[in-house]
Amino acid sequence: MLTHFSETELTYDGSQLASHFAYRGFGLLGDSVVAFLGPCEVKLEALVDLEDVRRNAPIYSQRMLHFLWESFALDLRGAAAFQRLMVAVVAEELRARGAAGLIRRGDDLYVGERKLSVSIAAASPVSTLIHLGLNVTGEGAPVPALGLADLGVDAAAFAKICLERFREEYEGVLKAGYKVRPVD
Amino acid sequence: MLTHFSETELTYDGSQLASHFAYRGFGLLGDSVVAFLGPCEVKLEALVDLEDVRRNAPIYSQRMLHFLWESFALDLRGAAAFQRLMVAVVAEELRARGAAGLIRRGDDLYVGERKLSVSIAAASPVSTLIHLGLNVTGEGAPVPALGLADLGVDAAAFAKICLERFREEYEGVLKAGYKVRPVD
Amino acid sequence: MLTHFSETELTYDGSQLASHFAYRGFGLLGDSVVAFLGPCEVKLEALVDLEDVRRNAPIYSQRMLHFLWESFALDLRGAAAFQRLMVAVVAEELRARGAAGLIRRGDDLYVGERKLSVSIAAASPVSTLIHLGLNVTGEGAPVPALGLADLGVDAAAFAKICLERFREEYEGVLKAGYKVRPVD
Amino acid sequence: MLTHFSETELTYDGSQLASHFAYRGFGLLGDSVVAFLGPCEVKLEALVDLEDVRRNAPIYSQRMLHFLWESFALDLRGAAAFQRLMVAVVAEELRARGAAGLIRRGDDLYVGERKLSVSIAAASPVSTLIHLGLNVTGEGAPVPALGLADLGVDAAAFAKICLERFREEYEGVLKAGYKVRPVD
Amino acid sequence: MLTHFSETELTYDGSQLASHFAYRGFGLLGDSVVAFLGPCEVKLEALVDLEDVRRNAPIYSQRMLHFLWESFALDLRGAAAFQRLMVAVVAEELRARGAAGLIRRGDDLYVGERKLSVSIAAASPVSTLIHLGLNVTGEGAPVPALGLADLGVDAAAFAKICLERFREEYEGVLKAGYKVRPVD
Amino acid sequence: MLTHFSETELTYDGSQLASHFAYRGFGLLGDSVVAFLGPCEVKLEALVDLEDVRRNAPIYSQRMLHFLWESFALDLRGAAAFQRLMVAVVAEELRARGAAGLIRRGDDLYVGERKLSVSIAAASPVSTLIHLGLNVTGEGAPVPALGLADLGVDAAAFAKICLERFREEYEGVLKAGYKVRPVD
């Protein structure tokens, strides 16, 4: 799995959740995860989570650490399992940096009732994709929220840690499939 | 996902890692996770993890809490991702019960350098399977180990908590695939 | 498989043959079949059956009982087999209500040379879909046709019977995959 | 789909439910359905339907018309759907020959409470398989049964009719996948 | 695999690389390969090879022999392997007609540094597709090129030879899957 | 794709055509191709090509250059396409070394009527496999044969060339799937 941290900031508006984002933007060919900082503003018509559409809940955050993951090897269900694993990894790393009271509920991360993350897994015709966004600041969010800054965590440094962890987990998942004898 | 806690104890010897274990033994038809208590003794010839075979490392534990999970919906890579999620869930629940110093490394759980768990994901021709074993006691293990008892956790009660958590996570993963618009 | 009979009438124009129709419209999450009454009017550009496109044969019926089925478990070939089974089920239930001379030809149902049904199976990027429409009346159709009313069958009551039968057949198909030992 | 009626009689003992039966025995390469006459005697250890195993219900019939179907294109769920369609086809053809009171329950065919058929769908590592057996006589069966002879139907002639119908249905299912535009 | 040589010339502009091209245009239902002569002009926005997009390299040739292949049985990786095999087949047939100095580099064919071909494999939601274009003349191409005419090969006659060879190779690939025992 | 040339000679008896051969024997984890020299002696009961079984044609060669390829990414049809590409690659490299009169027929390589190679593609439950054997000498073969030595080609040196070519082709096939926009 190729990883890249983009020094250039980008607004995540949902259009990035499409096949080959990492190749088009950064030349990464194959399974990849890219991180960048920037606002998050997904309008109703760009939402892919139909639960959000039904609740009429567009997504907004002033500033987030975004991860865009793409796999040509996992199907949508595998991607949804990996998505939750990514959220668990973020919690592990935040805990290791002193964050207290972190709770993972499915693919969301909370400190108490304040939301830290947004996330979605989706399928393109040729790959599966995950967007995971972590608030840098919770200000201005449509729900009670907090951010990495509130936890005293530097977003850019944390991005690089997480990219490496996601790569290890992903390669571990693939490796698991390479070393196990078929059973009856 | 159907769940079942078997009051009858069983020795896990690797033969349980086969399709339809839950149906043959307990009548559970379809995706399922079953828990039981008992020794763990997987001889070399029953090992499915070829890494263990290459290291000539049979598996032994005096007493474990065993989980056997089967899915007819996830492929091997999805199962390997879910396996790590299961281990993360166990860590979350142990932490909520006061355990300190828990570290997940891939699909293994440690307290410091003492190993708490064994785990494998495999594919049968019709399904995918996960075995996750948590030591009840670390005594007699071939590597430095500890068990749920050392953490002050009652294995049977903990089994039921975990079964429910695994069910929720699994159904959440399936649901994720039911509500997301395809992307380009 | 979730089932729903919509009391609200709808015109089937082909746009309903898309992923998540049942979730968007009725909140049904996962495998589902929905029934509703209303006209059928599929213009040339909305046809998905390219055989119809090549014959320049738009679809029209004054009033139909519509079934929209979606599966996240069957592929397109499985859906096409299930589609024919659904048509066979409709024939069985009509016969049980006294209809004579029913003939199934592939995925079409006839009484003599008069056509009772239209049907298509298709694949979205995330699921497979079936539309099955049964004429309530054969008047105004572009080909010799008859309807449920001509057979003395109440469409709404029949809808509920069929929804239940489709659910049973679908769950039976899934169950068949859960209880069979792999062979060589 | 290649079809073949074997003039040689064979005892069906479950070993025929394996990949390439038609190629090994009759040189049919690819998707195929083969018919033959002979006893049916599947001992407990050869049963692939674990529901039968759990009920301790070996299968026996003095004489049956057997169909063995193999597809390299349908998965197990598609095969299970096709299996029910095959049973519906048999019912259609028996009805066309004057049989009254036929009832299909899932993949079984009855006249009243007397059973006419046995059937199973299974997956080999490279294909899917269906065995469908129709009693020629119901005498000696372990459950109330009747046979084609009781319905005044000649088994060999009926075999050839059914082979042709199964071929048409199968090719229709494949064709359905070749002519339909993908939807959203 | 159905084959067809279109006597009508067509400009290949990339829009032909879509599911059911052979059925829409020529009534070929199922796996197929179609050949036609005509210019090749794929503008930037119609390019599906994102490597070409990144290099800003639209495709142009005054006159080409085009092959459009579609399979409902191979996935994208299988199609990419078959694409290279098709290019190797073209080289074999040109060599048999006296061409010297032919070099295949991946899915491209060269004589020295002059390019003879363009090619792409892609996936639609229901099938996989290959376009293979062989220059009839190398004049006017954006890179050093040569054509079949330069090799003294008649394009229309060569088309028919290649169609037959592609059909044989494709059916051989399918056959390979029908006759091989599963291994452990 | 990992590659390895084994300095140790081995007899190919068919048992090597099984999942994880490269991992068990050489520690290669994942997609791989391994080469070794040694006799080839596949008895009837070890044959996986049922066409050979039907012809009662065990395989024998005094000494061969063997390639064993395993992929966790291609399905059986993709492997069968890649197998023919491998044979075409061998022909290309032999031609580049001065061999004349080489003819590829499907997955076999001939010089005139003398056979140079044996080959099979197969599926394990977790991967696909290819064995390609090139005679070092044609002496003692059950059919008219010739070997690399007759062509003046050193088998060990040639092995390393081919391993590298197979790796390039395989990675090119995967890359093709990573850079192509989905089409309609």
Side-chain angles (χ1 to χ4, degrees):
Chain A
M1 168 154 277
L2 301 169
T3 64
H4 181 70
F5 177 73
S6 166
E7 300 289 344
T8 307
E9 303 216 347
L10 289 166
T11 297
Y12 180 81
D13 60 9
S15 67
Q16 292 88 352
L17 194 74
S19 58
H20 307 110
F21 167 74
Y23 182 59
R24 290 174 197 259
F26 307 101
L28 305 188
L29 198 56
D31 298 340
S32 66
V33 56
V34 170
F36 57 88
L37 289 160
C40 183
E41 188 164 3
V42 187
K43 302 232 170 79
L44 209 60
E45 59 274 20
L47 289 170
V48 300
D49 188 333
L50 297 172
E51 203 169 11
D52 294 338
V53 173
R54 282 173 60 86
R55 293 183 312 187
N56 192 13
I59 297 171
Y60 178 75
S61 173
Q62 270 184 24
R63 186 169 169 77
M64 272 191 155
L65 168 57
H66 300 281
F67 295 100
L68 267 165
W69 172 98
E70 182 170 25
S71 167
F72 293 85
L74 266 64
D75 65 12
L76 181 51
R77 285 163 180 168
F82 195 83
Q83 176 194 17
R84 288 172 178 234
L85 183 61
M86 284 169 72
V87 175
V89 163
V90 169
E92 288 168 1
E93 293 299 327
L94 288 177
R95 240 177 247 121
R97 278 155 191 75
L102 280 167
I103 300 163
R104 182 178 63 83
R105 291 198 191 106
D107 54 16
D108 283 324
L109 212 51
Y110 290 85
V111 175
E113 290 307 308
R114 296 164 73 198
K115 204 161 181 268
L116 183 64
S117 67
V118 297
S119 184
I120 188 76
S124 82
V126 294
S127 61
T128 50
L129 299 148
I130 296 171
H131 172 246
L132 171 58
L134 305 176
N135 292 320
V136 175
T137 172
E139 284 174 41
V143 295
L146 92 171
L148 294 173
D150 302 304
L151 300 170
V153 169
D154 177 71
F158 191 63
K160 288 161 197 171
I161 302 284
C162 289
L163 286 176
E164 184 57 17
R165 284 291 314 275
F166 296 159
R167 190 188 61 73
E168 282 170 11
E169 297 285 356
Y170 185 75
E171 293 182 357
V173 164
L174 294 194
K175 182 182 163 187
Y178 295 150
K179 64 166 191 164
V180 67
R181 201 164 54 74
V183 300
D184 285 338
Chain B
M1 170 153 276
L2 301 169
T3 64
H4 181 70
F5 177 73
S6 166
E7 300 290 344
T8 307
E9 302 217 348
L10 289 166
T11 297
Y12 179 82
D13 60 9
S15 68
Q16 293 87 353
L17 195 74
S19 58
H20 307 111
F21 167 75
Y23 182 58
R24 290 173 197 258
F26 307 102
L28 305 189
L29 199 55
D31 298 340
S32 66
V33 57
V34 170
F36 56 88
L37 288 160
C40 183
E41 188 164 4
V42 187
K43 303 234 168 79
L44 209 60
E45 58 276 19
L47 288 171
V48 300
D49 187 333
L50 297 172
E51 202 169 10
D52 293 338
V53 174
R54 282 173 60 86
R55 292 182 312 188
N56 191 14
I59 297 170
Y60 178 75
S61 172
Q62 270 183 26
R63 186 170 169 77
M64 272 191 156
L65 167 57
H66 301 280
F67 295 100
L68 268 166
W69 172 98
E70 181 171 25
S71 168
F72 293 86
L74 265 65
D75 65 12
L76 182 51
R77 286 162 179 171
F82 196 83
Q83 176 195 16
R84 288 172 177 234
L85 183 60
M86 284 170 71
V87 176
V89 163
V90 169
E92 288 168 2
E93 292 299 326
L94 288 176
R95 241 178 246 121
R97 278 155 191 75
L102 281 167
I103 300 163
R104 181 178 65 81
R105 292 199 191 106
D107 54 17
D108 283 325
L109 211 53
Y110 291 84
V111 176
E113 289 307 307
R114 296 165 73 198
K115 204 160 181 268
L116 183 64
S117 67
V118 297
S119 184
I120 188 75
S124 81
V126 294
S127 61
T128 50
L129 299 148
I130 297 170
H131 171 246
L132 171 59
L134 305 176
N135 292 320
V136 176
T137 172
E139 284 173 40
V143 295
L146 91 171
L148 294 173
D150 302 304
L151 300 170
V153 169
D154 178 70
F158 192 63
K160 289 163 196 169
I161 302 284
C162 289
L163 286 175
E164 184 58 17
R165 283 293 313 276
F166 297 159
R167 192 188 60 72
E168 282 170 11
E169 297 286 354
Y170 186 75
E171 294 182 357
V173 164
L174 294 194
K175 182 182 164 187
Y178 295 150
K179 62 165 192 166
V180 66
R181 200 163 54 74
V183 299
D184 286 338
Chain C
M1 168 153 277
L2 302 169
T3 64
H4 181 70
F5 178 73
S6 166
E7 300 289 343
T8 308
E9 303 216 346
L10 289 165
T11 297
Y12 180 82
D13 61 9
S15 67
Q16 293 87 353
L17 194 74
S19 59
H20 307 111
F21 167 75
Y23 182 57
R24 291 174 196 258
F26 307 101
L28 305 188
L29 199 56
D31 298 339
S32 67
V33 56
V34 170
F36 57 88
L37 289 161
C40 183
E41 188 164 5
V42 187
K43 302 233 168 79
L44 209 61
E45 58 275 21
L47 289 171
V48 300
D49 187 334
L50 297 172
E51 202 169 10
D52 293 338
V53 173
R54 282 173 60 86
R55 292 183 314 187
N56 192 14
I59 297 171
Y60 178 75
S61 174
Q62 271 184 24
R63 186 169 170 78
M64 271 191 157
L65 167 58
H66 300 281
F67 295 100
L68 268 166
W69 173 99
E70 182 171 25
S71 167
F72 293 85
L74 266 64
D75 65 11
L76 181 51
R77 285 162 180 170
F82 196 83
Q83 176 194 17
R84 289 173 178 233
L85 183 61
M86 284 170 70
V87 176
V89 163
V90 169
E92 288 169 1
E93 293 299 327
L94 288 177
R95 240 177 247 121
R97 277 155 192 76
L102 280 167
I103 300 163
R104 182 178 64 82
R105 291 197 191 108
D107 55 16
D108 283 324
L109 212 52
Y110 291 84
V111 176
E113 289 307 308
R114 296 164 74 196
K115 203 160 181 265
L116 184 64
S117 67
V118 297
S119 183
I120 188 76
S124 82
V126 293
S127 61
T128 49
L129 299 148
I130 297 170
H131 171 246
L132 171 59
L134 305 176
N135 292 320
V136 176
T137 171
E139 284 173 40
V143 295
L146 91 171
L148 295 173
D150 302 305
L151 300 171
V153 169
D154 177 71
F158 191 64
K160 289 161 197 172
I161 302 285
C162 289
L163 286 175
E164 185 58 17
R165 284 291 314 274
F166 297 158
R167 190 188 61 71
E168 283 170 10
E169 297 286 354
Y170 186 74
E171 294 182 357
V173 163
L174 294 194
K175 182 183 163 186
Y178 295 150
K179 63 166 192 165
V180 67
R181 202 164 54 74
V183 299
D184 286 338
Chain D
M1 169 154 276
L2 301 169
T3 64
H4 181 70
F5 177 74
S6 165
E7 299 290 344
T8 307
E9 303 217 347
L10 290 166
T11 297
Y12 180 82
D13 60 9
S15 67
Q16 293 86 353
L17 195 73
S19 59
H20 307 111
F21 167 74
Y23 182 57
R24 289 174 198 260
F26 307 102
L28 305 189
L29 198 56
D31 299 338
S32 67
V33 57
V34 170
F36 56 88
L37 288 160
C40 183
E41 188 164 4
V42 187
K43 303 232 168 79
L44 210 58
E45 59 275 20
L47 287 171
V48 300
D49 188 334
L50 297 172
E51 202 169 10
D52 294 338
V53 174
R54 282 173 61 85
R55 293 182 312 186
N56 192 14
I59 297 171
Y60 178 74
S61 173
Q62 271 184 22
R63 187 170 169 77
M64 272 191 157
L65 167 56
H66 300 281
F67 295 100
L68 268 165
W69 173 99
E70 181 171 25
S71 168
F72 294 86
L74 266 64
D75 64 12
L76 182 51
R77 286 164 179 169
F82 196 82
Q83 176 194 17
R84 289 172 178 234
L85 183 61
M86 284 170 72
V87 176
V89 163
V90 169
E92 288 168 1
E93 293 298 327
L94 288 177
R95 241 178 247 120
R97 276 156 193 75
L102 282 167
I103 300 164
R104 181 179 64 83
R105 292 198 191 106
D107 55 16
D108 282 325
L109 211 52
Y110 290 85
V111 176
E113 290 307 309
R114 297 165 72 197
K115 203 160 181 267
L116 183 65
S117 67
V118 297
S119 184
I120 188 75
S124 83
V126 293
S127 61
T128 49
L129 299 148
I130 297 170
H131 171 245
L132 170 59
L134 306 176
N135 292 320
V136 175
T137 172
E139 284 173 41
V143 295
L146 91 172
L148 294 172
D150 302 304
L151 300 171
V153 169
D154 177 71
F158 191 64
K160 289 163 196 169
I161 303 284
C162 289
L163 286 175
E164 184 59 17
R165 283 293 313 275
F166 297 158
R167 191 187 61 70
E168 283 170 11
E169 297 286 354
Y170 185 75
E171 294 182 356
V173 164
L174 294 194
K175 182 183 163 186
Y178 295 150
K179 63 166 192 165
V180 66
R181 203 164 52 74
V183 299
D184 286 338
Chain E
M1 169 153 277
L2 301 169
T3 64
H4 181 70
F5 177 73
S6 166
E7 300 289 344
T8 307
E9 302 216 347
L10 288 167
T11 297
Y12 180 81
D13 60 10
S15 67
Q16 292 87 352
L17 194 74
S19 59
H20 307 111
F21 167 75
Y23 182 58
R24 290 174 198 259
F26 307 101
L28 305 188
L29 199 56
D31 298 339
S32 66
V33 56
V34 170
F36 56 88
L37 288 161
C40 182
E41 188 164 5
V42 187
K43 303 234 168 78
L44 210 60
E45 59 274 20
L47 288 171
V48 300
D49 187 334
L50 297 172
E51 202 169 11
D52 294 338
V53 173
R54 282 172 60 85
R55 292 183 312 188
N56 192 14
I59 297 171
Y60 179 74
S61 173
Q62 270 183 25
R63 186 169 170 80
M64 271 191 156
L65 167 57
H66 300 280
F67 295 100
L68 268 165
W69 173 98
E70 182 171 25
S71 168
F72 294 85
L74 266 64
D75 64 11
L76 181 51
R77 285 164 179 169
F82 196 83
Q83 176 195 16
R84 288 173 178 233
L85 183 60
M86 284 170 72
V87 176
V89 163
V90 169
E92 288 168 1
E93 293 299 326
L94 288 177
R95 241 178 247 122
R97 278 155 191 74
L102 281 166
I103 301 162
R104 181 178 64 82
R105 292 197 191 107
D107 55 15
D108 283 324
L109 212 51
Y110 290 84
V111 175
E113 289 307 308
R114 296 163 75 197
K115 203 160 180 267
L116 183 64
S117 67
V118 297
S119 183
I120 188 76
S124 82
V126 294
S127 61
T128 49
L129 299 148
I130 297 170
H131 172 245
L132 171 59
L134 306 175
N135 291 320
V136 176
T137 173
E139 285 174 40
V143 295
L146 91 171
L148 295 173
D150 302 305
L151 299 171
V153 169
D154 177 70
F158 192 63
K160 289 162 197 170
I161 302 285
C162 289
L163 286 175
E164 185 57 16
R165 284 292 313 275
F166 297 158
R167 191 188 61 71
E168 282 171 11
E169 297 285 354
Y170 186 74
E171 294 182 357
V173 164
L174 294 194
K175 182 182 163 186
Y178 295 150
K179 63 166 191 165
V180 67
R181 202 164 52 73
V183 300
D184 285 337
Chain F
M1 169 154 277
L2 301 169
T3 64
H4 181 70
F5 178 73
S6 165
E7 300 289 345
T8 307
E9 303 217 348
L10 289 166
T11 297
Y12 180 82
D13 61 10
S15 67
Q16 294 87 353
L17 194 73
S19 58
H20 307 111
F21 167 75
Y23 182 58
R24 291 174 196 258
F26 307 101
L28 305 188
L29 198 56
D31 298 339
S32 66
V33 57
V34 171
F36 57 88
L37 289 160
C40 183
E41 188 164 4
V42 188
K43 302 233 169 79
L44 209 60
E45 58 276 19
L47 288 170
V48 300
D49 187 334
L50 297 172
E51 201 169 11
D52 293 338
V53 173
R54 282 173 60 85
R55 292 183 313 188
N56 192 15
I59 297 171
Y60 178 74
S61 174
Q62 271 184 23
R63 186 170 169 79
M64 272 191 157
L65 167 58
H66 301 280
F67 295 100
L68 267 166
W69 172 98
E70 181 171 25
S71 167
F72 294 85
L74 265 64
D75 64 12
L76 181 50
R77 286 162 180 171
F82 196 83
Q83 176 194 16
R84 289 173 177 233
L85 183 60
M86 283 171 71
V87 176
V89 163
V90 169
E92 288 167 2
E93 293 299 328
L94 288 176
R95 241 177 247 122
R97 276 154 192 76
L102 281 167
I103 300 164
R104 182 179 63 83
R105 292 198 191 107
D107 54 17
D108 283 324
L109 211 52
Y110 291 85
V111 176
E113 290 307 308
R114 296 165 73 198
K115 203 160 180 268
L116 182 65
S117 67
V118 298
S119 183
I120 187 74
S124 82
V126 294
S127 60
T128 49
L129 299 147
I130 296 170
H131 171 246
L132 171 59
L134 305 176
N135 292 320
V136 175
T137 171
E139 283 173 41
V143 295
L146 90 172
L148 294 173
D150 302 304
L151 300 171
V153 170
D154 177 71
F158 191 63
K160 289 162 196 171
I161 302 285
C162 289
L163 286 175
E164 184 58 17
R165 283 292 314 275
F166 297 158
R167 192 188 60 71
E168 282 171 10
E169 298 285 354
Y170 185 74
E171 294 182 357
V173 163
L174 293 194
K175 182 182 163 187
Y178 295 150
K179 63 166 192 165
V180 66
R181 201 163 52 75
V183 299
D184 287 337

